[in-house]
Amino acid sequence: MTVPPEPEGHDSRHCGARKRQGEGTCTRPAGWGTDHAGHGHCKLHGGSTTDQGKAARAAKAEAQARTALATLDVQPVDNPLVALRLLAGQAVAWQEALAACVNRLGDRFRYEGLAGGEQLRSEIALYERAMDRCGQILGLIAKLNIDERLAAISEQQADVVIAAIDAALAHAGINGPAAAEAKRVAAHRLRSV
């Protein structure tokens, strides 16, 4: 489905198709007389054709997505590991929700389309995409060795705490076997958390 580019200077509020008679472009409202009013060509310039309808609905969805994106309050990601784990959780939840939809279909995985041909249910396609996305995200997590990195971070934090305990013991005048035992107990406790 290839839609020709709009003429330069085209106002998206208008049909914009080249006039068949005379010069210039159509100034009817975009999508006039079609099921996609506000987007695409009017019904007199092919706006009711399947391809034009699909293109106009896609353009409308893109415009709505751009509007929604412009209103988002985007915050920087301070900890990408946490953000990736959250994304993985959302992807798995979405995949599980779609699995429930597919399970409710029973054996009705296919249906007869408008042209009479057999079509795969959209729920199946969405479920397959969700499984692929989950695989990609979880594969990315595995490639990043997140568990090892988190363990290394925990070890570093434990070392900092032990160093602080050691400094506090030295400041309090506790040294020798009592200080060594206190550090051993603190280290054991920190590593078991």
Side-chain angles (χ1 to χ4, degrees):
M1 169 181 64
T2 305
V3 177
E6 299 295 345
E8 195 165 319
H10 169 68
D11 182 355
S12 63
R13 295 174 298 169
H14 297 113
C15 168
R18 295 193 198 291
K19 290 184 178 179
R20 293 181 184 137
Q21 297 174 347
E23 293 186 20
T25 58
C26 177
T27 57
R28 283 191 178 80
W32 174 82
T34 67
D35 64 348
H36 51 80
H39 294 276
H41 292 260
C42 71
K43 76 175 183 177
L44 299 178
H45 291 106
S48 295
T49 64
T50 303
D51 284 349
Q52 286 289 329
K54 285 181 184 177
R57 284 186 286 282
K60 182 178 182 178
E62 284 182 30
Q64 290 171 337
R66 277 193 300 276
T67 300
L69 186 59
T71 62
L72 290 178
D73 181 24
V74 179
Q75 299 296 319
V77 175
D78 293 331
N79 188 338
L81 300 178
V82 171
L84 192 55
R85 290 174 66 192
L86 178 63
L87 180 62
Q90 291 171 340
V92 169
W94 176 241
Q95 184 254 335
E96 289 172 354
L98 288 171
C101 290
V102 168
N103 288 336
R104 284 193 298 270
L105 291 175
D107 61 349
R108 299 171 294 138
F109 291 145
R110 298 187 172 275
Y111 70 97
E112 191 172 308
L114 297 175
E118 196 173 55
Q119 302 285 323
L120 186 65
R121 298 285 301 237
S122 60
E123 294 92 334
I124 304 295
L126 285 172
Y127 179 64
E128 288 174 344
R129 270 191 280 179
M131 288 189 343
D132 287 345
R133 298 259 165 78
C134 284
Q136 290 171 354
I137 293 169
L138 294 174
L140 181 59
I141 290 172
K143 286 180 185 176
L144 293 175
N145 297 324
I146 287 178
D147 288 338
E148 291 176 18
R149 290 178 183 203
L150 290 175
I153 290 170
S154 295
E155 286 288 328
Q156 290 171 351
Q157 290 170 338
D159 289 343
V160 168
V161 171
I162 290 171
I165 290 171
D166 191 30
L169 291 172
H171 182 72
I174 302 172
N175 53 25
E181 180 62 17
K183 286 194 304 188
R184 188 193 66 74
V185 169
H188 182 289
R189 186 73 98 138
L190 286 169
R191 286 189 174 87
S192 67
V193 173

